[in-house]
Amino acid sequence: MTTSRAAHPVPSPRPARSRSDKVTGPRIALALAGGGPLGAIYEIGALCALADNLDGLDLNRCDHYVGVSAGGFIAAGLANGITPRELCEAFIEDGKGRDHFDPAWLLKPAWAEFGSRLQRLPGLLGSALWAWGVQGKAFTNAFERLGAAMPTGVLDNEGVHQQIERLFSQPGRTNDFRQLRARLTLVATQLDTGEAAPFGKAGWDHVPISRAIQASAALPGLFPPVEIDGEHYVDGALKKTLHATVALDDGAELLLCLNPLVPFRAHAVGEHIDHIPSLVEGGFPAVMSQTFRSMIHSRLELGMKNYERLYPGSDIVLIEPDQRDAKLFTANTFSYRQRRELAEHAYQQTRKMLRERQAELAPKLARHGVTLKMASLRNPDLHLVNEPTVSAQTTLGRQLHATLDDLQRELGTTAPGR
């Protein structure tokens, strides 16, 4: 038995909302951190679990949405009336409807960036030879300037803007911050100053939502910086993990925070969850993944402590994976089949977390009219995704999925945390 997928009506166009609009009922906000495709998969699974197992919470009717990087795409979708289940259909399932979003669109080489940098090479090389041979500068100092010929990103992120622009141009949706009923803030980092850029706030809301998502997700080295109004922007996570203060400063009374990336505890004493060998066995990818996760999570922990101290009148709930969960750490998000497995896993692990933290969460949520649906949480037959039938897959599709799974088996064991 699985949950039903009833058709959802297309939301009516949203009137522009004034900053002075009166808010009735509890002010509930949602903050979504980044984490690449894996982060988006986890957040969709977790959000579906919240939608199915919390009564009194409509994730499409929150007062404020804050998103960083991949979390920005999810936050913008929710603010546009796309339900968590519809996000699952678009991003996780193999459906080809109007909302289909294929992660393969993110894997196109940044040919324009390569060409632009290559054009600089002759002049930079001549300058380096002049500095070394004529001016007598040290070889290493003279040739350091060749670094300007290296591309700032290897993948083209223009498709992010184009596909999300298409998605938000459907009837009943908008690509304009100012036309949303709810507040939406998508945070990027201004490259030349290192300051946070809160797209969606007054003064920043003229930028298309799709362009702001592209900027917020421009991870340096992977994607080129995004130019907006003559300035360049990169991933919002460089500054903070969640940027939750944006919603708390706006008066959020209940703030739900989703963070998909946590450091892995490979040797949890007395605990018998999935086990993998020492991370050093995974080589460079595993070590870097653990390093990156540890850095951003330590920053998040410090931020959460400050939130509790600075906003004592707000209830804050952090939802994130179990640090002992090897399945999420070793994930290969480019396998279609594993995307579905990971989303289901995130769904079930979030339901488990809600059950285990019932005593803590129930009174906190109740203050804002939200209750745990314990009968639903205890239902072992509740699932997120259905297994596709053989007849529903084309021969080409089955071959592609088999090839991806074979590639995962060949590479996945040597590159955990990819």
Side-chain angles (χ1 to χ4, degrees):
M1 175 180 175
T2 60
T3 54
S4 62
R5 288 189 177 84
H8 297 277
V10 176
S12 59
R14 287 165 165 69
R17 174 179 175 174
S18 168
R19 299 297 181 189
S20 62
D21 283 355
K22 183 178 179 180
V23 176
T24 59
R27 296 174 65 101
I28 299 177
L30 186 65
L32 304 176
L38 175 60
I41 292 169
Y42 170 82
E43 289 178 346
I44 289 173
L47 288 167
C48 287
L50 296 179
D52 289 350
N53 298 279
L54 294 181
D55 199 12
L57 174 67
D58 185 344
L59 290 171
N60 294 111
R61 303 290 297 183
C62 292
D63 183 70
H64 198 153
Y65 299 87
V66 181
V68 181
S69 194
F73 164 65
I74 307 300
L78 294 172
N80 251 300
I82 305 175
T83 68
R85 288 276 174 174
E86 288 170 334
L87 285 169
C88 181
E89 180 69 24
F91 193 78
I92 306 298
E93 298 281 15
D94 204 18
K96 301 298 182 183
R98 67 170 187 163
D99 292 343
H100 178 61
F101 190 94
D102 189 347
W105 291 329
L106 306 177
L107 300 179
K108 297 179 180 178
W111 297 120
E113 173 70 6
F114 296 158
S116 173
R117 296 290 164 173
L118 190 60
Q119 289 178 357
R120 301 184 181 192
L121 185 57
L124 292 171
L125 181 59
S127 176
L129 290 172
W130 177 267
W132 175 51
V134 178
Q135 297 180 334
K137 291 187 177 180
F139 179 84
T140 54
N141 291 339
F143 282 85
E144 278 180 354
R145 61 193 66 193
L146 292 180
M150 296 180 64
T152 56
V154 296
L155 298 177
D156 185 3
N157 53 0
E158 184 63 20
V160 175
H161 159 62
Q162 294 173 349
Q163 295 301 329
I164 296 177
E165 182 181 46
R166 174 190 61 80
L167 186 68
F168 293 165
S169 297
Q170 302 288 346
R173 300 174 187 167
T174 179
N175 199 32
D176 189 332
F177 286 102
R178 298 163 294 189
Q179 295 300 317
L180 291 170
R181 178 176 290 125
R183 291 172 173 83
L184 171 65
T185 305
L186 304 174
V187 186
T189 303
Q190 193 167 6
L191 182 62
D192 289 333
T193 65
E195 295 299 319
F199 293 106
K201 293 190 70 174
W204 298 85
D205 53 3
H206 64 287
V207 176
I209 294 173
S210 55
R211 188 67 76 186
I213 293 173
Q214 178 190 9
S216 181
L219 182 64
L222 188 63
F223 296 114
V226 177
E227 184 176 358
I228 300 174
D229 296 338
E231 301 287 346
H232 290 88
Y233 298 90
V234 293
D235 198 316
L238 270 65
K239 189 72 176 178
K240 292 182 181 178
T241 303
L242 275 170
H243 292 274
T245 52
V246 174
L248 291 168
D249 287 340
D250 194 41
E253 298 167 351
L254 173 62
L255 176 64
L256 302 177
C257 303
L258 268 67
N259 172 51
L261 297 185
V262 296
F264 181 61
R265 291 173 58 191
H267 302 294
V269 178
E271 297 163 345
H272 300 286
I273 302 183
D274 293 338
H275 177 75
I276 63 174
S278 173
L279 295 182
V280 73
E281 299 298 326
F284 181 77
V287 172
M288 288 306 298
S289 177
Q290 181 76 337
T291 300
F292 178 72
R293 289 164 179 257
S294 298
M295 291 173 59
I296 64 173
H297 197 260
S298 62
R299 187 175 60 183
L300 173 63
E301 289 177 325
L302 180 60
M304 294 300 293
K305 292 179 181 178
N306 287 332
Y307 299 155
E308 294 174 0
R309 177 177 59 86
L310 297 174
Y311 305 93
S314 299
D315 286 313
I316 303 171
V317 176
L318 175 62
I319 299 166
E320 60 184 7
D322 191 314
Q323 293 187 24
R324 303 162 296 178
D325 193 339
K327 189 178 186 69
L328 287 172
F329 186 78
T330 59
N332 171 16
T333 57
F334 295 106
S335 165
Y336 160 68
R337 288 182 180 176
Q338 195 169 23
R339 287 209 310 271
R340 303 179 82 251
E341 292 172 4
L342 290 170
E344 178 71 32
H345 183 70
Y347 180 81
Q348 298 299 346
Q349 289 300 307
T350 303
R351 294 179 68 236
K352 177 183 177 183
M353 179 276 295
L354 292 173
R355 291 194 301 269
E356 292 177 345
R357 294 174 58 187
Q358 175 191 359
E360 168 205 348
L361 294 178
K364 185 177 291 189
L365 295 172
R367 286 195 286 270
H368 309 280
V370 181
T371 58
L372 294 169
K373 298 162 65 173
M374 295 311 300
S376 175
L377 286 171
R378 295 190 181 105
N379 182 359
D381 296 323
L382 199 61
H383 295 283
L384 175 62
V385 298
N386 291 313
E387 283 300 320
T389 60
V390 173
S391 60
Q393 300 183 45
T394 65
T395 301
L396 179 60
R398 290 195 298 271
Q399 293 174 347
L400 176 60
H401 296 160
T403 301
L404 287 170
D405 290 342
D406 289 342
L407 181 62
Q408 175 192 345
R409 283 192 291 271
E410 292 296 324
L411 302 178
T413 57
T414 61
R418 182 177 18 235

